[in-house]
Amino acid sequence: MESHIQELLFKHSCIVVPGFGAFMAHTAPAAHDTGANQLHPPKKTLSFHPRLNHDDGLLVQHLLKGKVSSSAEAKEQIQATVEEWKSTLESGNALFLEGLGSLKKSALERIEFEAEVHSNYLPSSFGLSAIEVLPKNQAKAAPVHESNERSFQLTTAEEIEEDEAGILPWLKYASMILLLISVTLTAFYFYNQDQKKNRLAQQEANDAIANYVQQETFYESSLIELPPVEVKVEKFHVMAGAFRIQENATRKIAELRAKGYDSQYLGKNQYNLHQVTYGGFENPKDAKKFLSLIQESENADAWILAKNQ
């Protein structure tokens, strides 16, 4: 079952396993790991939401493309897998899902998810791996010898050969690093091109979700800064509510994040209310699908808000 979920994550941002929960994918930019001196390419980060477990048909349809002959058989396979997964968690053991991560039950009977760090489901970053970046302060300094006497030293042929043997490996490593950097920059270029195409497609999709979307255009950006909250502006937002008092908005964000949602603060709207989201999406179809899940299991009054980037 894990392999089917992995294949779907390359094309979709929300994969629901009926009766178990949903795996959500959020696009993250390239990052520099200063501790390991590595540059990581853009990727999709995963989160798990056990309350979003209503069958949306996506996983069943994907199973039908394989060796499964009917929807009933596909649902039986999913149910059997879910029962096996739940049994593992109920026994107090950690459940490891290859390519996705591990889940376990906490002392408070909540399911905790730790994503697999080496998996990347962003198509534009496929095949890219982290590259090592050496800081400037690691450059070798030549030893300095102080002497009051003037000395002369003859360099032998053997010493020259040893010096050359020490330099050649460094030249090889330097050429490999330059090659990796050029490949990464090329991948970033195509990633930016894909993002432009996605923005054009999202603009065309606005009419298709007109019944759910409220349009806002800000000509003056004056977002209120909340120290504990990181402000993100994305294209399509599934809204949790709008509050007149800023402290209530901050409290709601903390509550939703404790449940595993990627909740964000969007500032004030035209009615001077502080806006809070369940999460944001670049693809309007993913936003509409997530909205349906939220309305069924969490908040029937949730809606979609589209903001121009």
Side-chain angles (χ1 to χ4, degrees), residues 15-303:
I15 312 301
V16 176
V17 181
F20 188 72
F23 292 92
M24 301 285 297
H26 306 276
T27 302
H32 180 208
D33 186 349
T34 55
N37 293 328
Q38 289 183 331
L39 179 64
H40 296 271
K43 65 181 299 184
K44 279 186 177 181
T45 59
L46 296 183
S47 60
F48 178 73
H49 304 270
R51 303 182 68 177
L52 302 179
N53 54 26
H54 295 282
D55 188 5
D56 61 356
L58 183 61
L59 186 56
V60 172
Q61 292 299 320
H62 192 267
L63 288 174
L64 289 173
K65 294 179 181 178
K67 298 181 180 180
V68 179
S69 58
S70 66
S71 297
E73 183 182 352
K75 292 180 180 180
E76 287 179 1
Q77 285 191 14
I78 294 173
Q79 184 178 358
T81 301
V82 168
E83 290 177 356
E84 181 182 345
W85 289 354
K86 286 184 176 180
S87 176
T88 301
L89 293 173
E90 290 296 335
S91 64
N93 296 320
L95 172 64
F96 178 74
L97 302 179
E98 184 178 358
L100 302 174
S102 61
L103 300 100
K104 64 179 181 179
K105 270 197 172 183
S106 66
L108 300 176
E109 294 297 312
R110 293 179 54 185
I111 296 180
E112 298 177 346
F113 175 69
E114 183 176 353
E116 168 62 57
V117 297
H118 299 295
S119 298
N120 191 349
Y121 298 103
L122 191 65
S124 56
S125 296
F126 182 78
L128 297 180
S129 59
I131 61 174
E132 185 176 2
V133 181
L134 293 176
K136 293 181 179 179
N137 57 8
Q138 288 188 4
K140 275 192 173 181
V144 178
H145 302 282
E146 295 182 0
S147 176
N148 294 327
E149 297 180 0
R150 195 172 180 182
S151 62
F152 297 91
Q153 182 177 2
L154 295 177
T155 302
T156 65
E158 289 79 9
E159 291 175 335
I160 294 176
E161 291 177 357
E162 289 178 0
D163 290 340
E164 291 179 348
I167 293 175
L168 288 178
W170 284 105
L171 292 176
K172 181 177 69 174
Y173 294 143
S175 63
M176 292 174 62
I177 291 174
L178 289 175
L179 177 61
L180 287 173
I181 292 175
S182 65
V183 171
T184 303
L185 292 176
T186 303
F188 288 170
Y189 169 79
F190 286 110
Y191 170 75
N192 290 331
Q193 294 299 315
D194 290 340
Q195 291 297 95
K196 292 179 181 179
K197 294 178 181 178
N198 287 338
R199 283 194 288 268
L200 292 175
Q202 291 162 9
Q203 189 65 33
E204 296 175 356
N206 281 339
D207 294 336
I209 59 171
N211 293 331
Y212 299 92
V213 177
Q214 297 179 1
Q215 297 290 342
E216 282 191 7
T217 303
F218 287 92
Y219 297 97
E220 295 182 2
S221 177
S222 57
L223 295 175
I224 295 178
E225 293 185 1
L226 296 178
V229 180
E230 181 183 2
V231 178
K232 292 183 179 179
V233 179
E234 300 189 63
K235 192 68 176 179
F236 296 93
H237 305 272
V238 177
M239 304 300 297
F243 303 85
R244 191 166 299 280
I245 300 176
Q246 181 175 323
E247 287 76 9
N248 292 340
T250 304
R251 192 178 303 112
K252 186 66 175 177
I253 291 172
E255 175 187 334
L256 293 177
R257 287 186 174 180
K259 292 181 179 180
Y261 295 106
D262 188 23
S263 180
Q264 303 296 332
Y265 174 71
L266 292 188
K268 291 183 178 180
N269 61 14
Q270 58 184 338
Y271 303 108
N272 209 34
L273 299 177
H274 300 275
Q275 304 173 104
V276 176
T277 75
Y278 283 103
F281 298 85
E282 295 180 357
N283 191 315
K285 293 182 180 179
D286 291 335
K288 186 175 179 181
K289 175 181 175 181
F290 185 57
L291 173 66
S292 298
L293 295 172
I294 289 295
Q295 288 177 333
E296 290 178 5
S297 62
E298 188 82 20
N299 182 3
D301 295 325
W303 73 97

Side-chain angles (χ1 to χ4, degrees), residues 2-16:
E2 295 96 315
S3 61
H4 295 286
I5 298 174
Q6 292 179 49
E7 291 177 11
L8 287 170
L9 282 170
F10 280 105
K11 297 181 179 180
H12 303 275
S13 298
C14 180
I15 312 301
V16 176

